[in-house]
């Protein structure tokens, strides 16, 4: 680092006579966290240099030197040889200062028709787009893990719950497919988000555009933006909707992961004993040798807190900011980086947990039949066969459950006389409807829990990747 480049003043200090106070540097510098944007920053600069040369704003010779220098810097940073300087504030000025060291004065031409305002908007968009693409892939793998589980458990009876009280029998396949729906909606939100952010802000310059004859369509194309350049230069540098949307997508997906994690925690207790997590995703207790703790699931359940925190952080930063750029917006990154690392980790951990999950079919089936889970089937039979109004049938069934409870047996273990003591028109045919299997098989309505219905949904999602 030369003397001249060691201070940020060398980059913008023409009208400053003193260096920044140490505390100013501390609050101002973003290089400690925005250095992760180096690949995007360098890609943006290379595209910009190529365009400047194509438009004859800089010479081909300068562009070649700039691009070679930038490629050297890319290698230096990737290999950990680059010395980042806080005095140079951020990734943009660190790269430019090093470029000057490497190629001399030509480096100063790179920033023609550009500002750090459009530069950072570009870098961050490119970074978010990559993370969203990763998230799309991770969600697809998680969905595939659930589809496999569902396929293997079409006839694994389990209790369906409302209020976490046994409600009606369902199958583990059906329950798994509920998560497929949730994660597929997340994936669709990810894709929407990519589509909306797929416009290039480079060339908006500081806020008003530029007098140089730049070609924004060219840079947008070089950088892989499907929807061309952004259409308003003020908005281009002041917009952080793409970060907010990404964070909302993460929070919603994190919420789904957290609900699933909670179910895994409950299901893996000895009391439920519905599933067993593999050793790979369990931990032991340092004091109680019998324990298997679902730590990974608990941490997934907790990490959504970071994602929600990140979203609220940036919503709060952005509210009330006048157009166009304000330095407040530098506070968009750390929270987003943290949330993005968290969601990537949670999605991978959950995919591992689901793939390795051992389902205890016997325990699930036993629980499916307890808690008078087929009471609704009895009521439905009374409506269908005896033409009873549903409210009356509900009443008769309630009395039947009370009798079973008194005799400490399940509904199917009551005698025909027991049943007829409550409603004399009941026939022996009713026993066909009180088993868990009959109950599940009968729920053939579209989206219902009958194996045929669930199989159709699995087919649908296998095709819709
Ligand atoms: N480090 C800054 C950020 O993250 C880059 C943009 C700086 N622009 C400026 N006008 N000071 O927002």
């Amino acid at each position: 680092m030369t003397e001249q480049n060691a201070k940020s003043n060398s980059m913008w200090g023409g009208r400053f006579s003193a260096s920044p106070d140490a505390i100013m540097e501390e609050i101002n510098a973003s290089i400690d966290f925005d250095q992760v944007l180096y690949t995007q920053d360098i890609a943006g600069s290379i595209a910009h240099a190529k365009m400047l040369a194509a438009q004859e704003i800089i010479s081909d010779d300068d562009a070649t030197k700039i691009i070679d220098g930038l490629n050297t810097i890319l290698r230096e940073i990737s290999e950990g040889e680059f010395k980042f300087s806080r005095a140079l504030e951020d990734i943009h000025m660190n790269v430019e200062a090093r470029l000057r060291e490497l190629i001399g004065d030509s480096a100063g031409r790179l920033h023609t028709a550009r500002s750090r305002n459009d530069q950072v908007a570009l870098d961050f968009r490119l970074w978010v787009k990559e993370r969203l693409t990763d998230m799309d892939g991770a969600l697809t793998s998680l969905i595939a893990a659930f589809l496999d589980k569902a396929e293997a458990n079409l006839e694994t009876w389990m209790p369906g719950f409302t209020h976490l009280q046994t409600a009606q029998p369902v199958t583990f396949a059906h329950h798994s497919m509920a998560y497929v729906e949730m994660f597929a909606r997340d994936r669709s939100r990810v894709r929407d988000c990519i589509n909306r952010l797929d416009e290039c802000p480079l060339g908006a310059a500081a806020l008003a555009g530029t007098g140089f004859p730049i070609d924004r369509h060219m840079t947008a194309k070089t950088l892989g933006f499907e929807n061309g350049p952004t259409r308003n230069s003020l908005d281009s540098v002041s917009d952080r909707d793409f970060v907010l949307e990404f964070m909302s997508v993460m929070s919603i997906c994190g919420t789904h992961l957290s609900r699933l994690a909670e179910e895994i925690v409950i299901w893996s207790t000895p009391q439920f004993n519905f599933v067993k997590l593999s050793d790979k995703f369990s931990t032991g207790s340092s004091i109680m040798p019998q324990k298997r703790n679902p730590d990974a699931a608990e941490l997934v359940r907790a990490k959504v807190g970071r994602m929600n925190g990140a979203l609220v952080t940036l919503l709060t930063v952005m509210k009330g900011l006048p157009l166009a750029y304000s330095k407040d917006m530098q506070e968009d990154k750390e929270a987003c980086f943290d949330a993005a690392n968290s969601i990537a980790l949670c999605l991978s951990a959950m995919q591992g947990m689901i793939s390795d999950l051992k389902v205890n079919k016997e325990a699930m089936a036993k629980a499916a039949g307890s808690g008078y889970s087929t009471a609704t089937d009895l009521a439905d039979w009374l409506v269908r066969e005896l033409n009873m109004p549903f409210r009356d049938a509900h009443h008769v069934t309630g009395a039947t459950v009370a009798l079973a409870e008194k005799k400490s047996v399940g509904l199917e273990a009551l005698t025909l006389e027991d049943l007829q003591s409550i409603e004399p028109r009941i026939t022996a045919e009713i026993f066909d409807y009180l088993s868990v299997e009959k109950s599940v098989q009968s729920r053939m309505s579209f989206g219902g829990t009958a194996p045929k219905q669930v199989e159709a949904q699995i087919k649908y999602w296998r095709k819709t990747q």
Side-chain angles (χ1 to χ4, degrees), residues 11-29:
M11 307 299 287
W12 45 251
R15 65 182 286 261
F16 288 79
S17 53
S19 295
D21 191 86
I23 202 76
M24 176 60 196
E25 184 175 298
E26 184 76 22
I27 196 170
N28 201 32

Side-chain angles (χ1 to χ4, degrees), residues 30 34 90 92 116-117 120 240 325 327 329-330 333:
S30 54
D34 70 14
D90 54 27
H92 324 296
R116 278 188 294 156
N117 298 350
V120 74
R240 290 295 179 274
Y325 177 85
K327 193 64 175 256
M329 289 159 68
Q330 180 167 286
K333 293 180 198 62

Side-chain angles (χ1 to χ4, degrees), residues 11 52 58 62 66 96 99-100 103-113:
M11 307 299 287
L52 290 176
I58 64 172
D62 280 334
I66 289 170
E96 195 185 319
L99 189 63
R100 183 174 287 274
I103 68 165
D105 285 345
S106 302
R109 299 192 184 279
L110 172 61
H111 214 51
T112 315

